[in-house]
Amino acid sequence: MTAMTDPQKESFRLSMLLNDTRYRSYTFQFIALVALIAAFAYLGSNLAANLRAAGLNISYEFLEEPSNYDINQTLIEYTSRSSHWRAAVVGVLNTLLVAFLACVTATIFGVIAGVLRLSNNWLVRKLMAAYVEAFRNVPVLIWIIIIFTIMTAVLPAPRDFRGDEAEASMVLGAFAFTNRGVYIPKPIFEPLGWVVLFVFVASIIGAVLYRRYATKLLYDTGKLLPMGWPTVAILFLPTIVAYFILGMPISLEYPELGGFNFRGGIQILGSLIALWFALAIYTGAFIAENVRAGILSVSRGQTEAAASLGLRPRRIMNLVVLPQALRVIVPPLISNYLNITKNSSLAIAVGYMDITGTLGGITLNQTGRAIESVLLLMLFYLLISLAISAVMNVYNNSIRLKER
């Protein structure tokens, strides 16, 4: 009978960093990291030396100086006497606004077009194919200019709404479509109005939770709960009840023609609308192809099996096809969202003041601080891109198929 003992562990030696495969990869990674840091340090010192030779230095004190220029659309209070930093914040908010609107709209366009591209109707299928090929093969800048030109050339001027025999009239007495933009009613919140808004947000969360519960119940037990009317009821009934119980604390301010333009309400500039829809329809064409590829990646046998169980086509799409197709759709969808954010920098072509137009345009030209402004621009786009990627990766991990 023999006794088995564990072999004695070998002590670490410096030569193992190159000769031992367990440590060799770490050694090369460390060398690469040191080389990368050295390269950036050299470039930084070279930049600092050249700036000193030119009598310049990197400073961000110019951000506290008055901007001395106006911005046509702002989400926060801003005047020409505000600082360059304030102007940059306005530009950041304008960029986030158009990027958010375009991402939502492009997703809707893309999903609809992607599903309809697989329709059994020949005409619908060909129309969607024409949409995809027409919009994705023309640069987005061209579409921005086309839509902006159409808006300014076709829509009436504010003066056309004047007089008893006006050439144009407001839609429903509340919406005015002009060549200067679209005017819509503005909600006026009294103190209790924010409570109604909170109830509405809570209702949205409640509707989402109900749908998730109904779906889980269906998967676990096969019991089918209604989705449509309960979702609508949860979404609107609590808000309507709270609105009337609290004494209707939210009113609307309608736009009215006064002087040479409309006053009151909310003005959505034509430049914002042109940029928004151009980014949406352009990127929606790419998303449509991603959706189509995701649906086609699901085996047709699963669709036939679901149909044999008595599921209707809409439920087959929602419960069987799309959940599996999302694992193919979401990764390229992240890239499309990033492209929308970066392509929003084309806003300056139609005069929409995003971060590139404020910090990277007028502020840079006024102060001559090109390096500082470009560094801030790069930092902003990097942060917003990383944030989008992080959120979408979390969503992608939440919907991926779980192996049993």
Side-chain angles (χ1 to χ4, degrees):
M1 181 176 181
T2 59
M4 299 295 292
T5 59
D6 294 335
Q8 186 175 5
K9 291 185 177 179
E10 187 178 5
S11 60
F12 177 77
R13 301 185 308 277
L14 288 179
S15 60
M16 296 172 68
L17 293 175
L18 291 178
N19 299 330
D20 195 320
T21 56
R22 292 175 300 174
Y23 304 109
R24 188 182 300 160
S25 62
Y26 295 108
T27 303
F28 289 140
Q29 290 179 46
F30 178 75
I31 294 174
L33 178 63
V34 171
L36 186 64
I37 293 175
F40 276 104
Y42 170 75
L43 292 175
S45 62
N46 191 28
L47 173 63
N50 289 332
L51 288 174
R52 283 195 302 271
L56 301 174
N57 64 330
I58 294 180
S59 172
Y60 289 93
E61 294 179 356
F62 71 96
L63 293 174
E64 299 299 327
E65 299 174 358
S67 59
N68 295 321
Y69 63 87
D70 292 321
I71 298 178
N72 48 17
Q73 179 150 349
T74 64
L75 295 177
I76 59 175
E77 186 178 352
Y78 171 84
T79 66
S80 60
R81 300 304 302 165
S82 301
S83 64
H84 284 292
W85 171 252
R86 188 79 172 178
V89 173
V90 172
V92 168
L93 293 177
N94 285 347
T95 298
L96 295 178
L97 172 65
V98 73
F100 173 76
L101 294 175
C103 285
V104 173
T105 315
T107 304
I108 296 173
F109 288 168
V111 171
I112 294 175
V115 173
L116 292 182
R117 280 211 70 183
L118 300 173
S119 170
N120 293 326
N121 187 303
W122 180 87
L123 180 59
V124 172
R125 190 169 64 249
K126 292 303 178 184
L127 284 176
M128 291 301 104
Y131 157 70
V132 170
E133 297 303 332
F135 282 94
R136 74 173 179 174
N137 291 317
V138 176
V140 64
L141 178 61
I142 304 299
W143 287 117
I144 294 173
I145 295 174
I146 289 175
I147 295 176
F148 183 72
T149 304
I150 292 174
M151 287 194 64
T152 54
V154 174
L155 294 179
R159 65 174 181 273
D160 295 332
F161 292 80
R162 190 187 308 280
D164 296 332
E165 298 181 356
E167 299 179 9
S169 60
M170 298 178 65
V171 178
L172 301 176
F175 303 90
F177 295 84
T178 75
N179 58 1
R180 297 181 183 179
V182 177
Y183 296 83
I184 63 175
K186 177 182 179 181
I188 305 297
F189 287 83
E190 297 176 8
L192 290 178
W194 298 105
V195 178
V196 178
L197 183 62
F198 174 78
V199 172
F200 181 65
V201 173
S203 300
I204 295 175
I205 297 174
V208 172
L209 292 178
Y210 171 77
R211 295 182 69 88
R212 294 187 64 175
Y213 167 74
T215 303
K216 185 176 185 302
L217 187 67
L218 178 63
Y219 288 157
D220 292 344
T221 66
K223 184 177 180 181
L224 183 62
L225 294 179
M227 285 278 198
W229 69 263
T231 302
V232 176
I234 295 174
L235 200 58
F236 293 107
L237 278 182
T239 306
I240 294 174
V241 171
Y243 177 75
F244 285 104
I245 288 179
L246 296 176
M248 297 185 289
I250 302 177
S251 57
L252 294 177
E253 178 187 85
Y254 292 95
E256 295 180 355
L257 186 62
F260 297 100
N261 205 349
F262 280 92
R263 295 175 181 174
I266 298 176
Q267 181 186 11
I268 306 175
L269 292 177
S271 55
L272 170 60
I273 297 174
L275 181 65
W276 167 15
F277 277 97
L279 291 174
I281 58 177
Y282 175 78
T283 311
F286 290 92
I287 294 177
E289 287 300 275
N290 297 333
V291 172
R292 187 172 71 95
I295 293 174
L296 290 177
S297 70
V298 180
S299 170
R300 186 174 180 80
Q302 297 197 33
T303 303
E304 295 172 349
S308 67
L309 294 175
L311 291 178
R312 296 178 179 177
R314 185 172 63 86
R315 289 198 174 275
I316 293 175
M317 180 62 70
N318 292 334
L319 300 177
V320 178
V321 177
L322 282 182
Q324 299 181 78
L326 282 176
R327 59 180 176 172
V328 177
I329 296 172
V330 172
L333 191 63
I334 300 174
S335 299
N336 287 316
Y337 286 170
L338 297 179
N339 287 336
I340 285 178
T341 305
K342 290 179 286 189
N343 286 337
S344 68
S345 60
L346 297 171
I348 194 65
V350 289
Y352 182 70
M353 299 299 286
D354 69 334
I355 183 63
T356 306
T358 55
L359 180 63
I362 301 177
T363 295
L364 188 152
N365 290 327
Q366 282 189 358
T367 62
R369 294 288 182 177
I371 296 176
E372 294 90 337
S373 299
V374 172
L375 286 177
L376 286 176
L377 274 179
M378 292 171 59
L379 179 63
F380 164 72
Y381 282 112
L382 177 63
L383 290 178
I384 193 63
S385 297
L386 292 177
I388 293 173
S389 297
V391 172
M392 292 302 296
N393 282 327
V394 169
Y395 177 68
N396 190 33
N397 289 330
S398 69
I399 62 171
R400 70 179 179 180
L401 294 180
K402 309 298 191 297
E403 298 292 341
R404 295 183 177 178

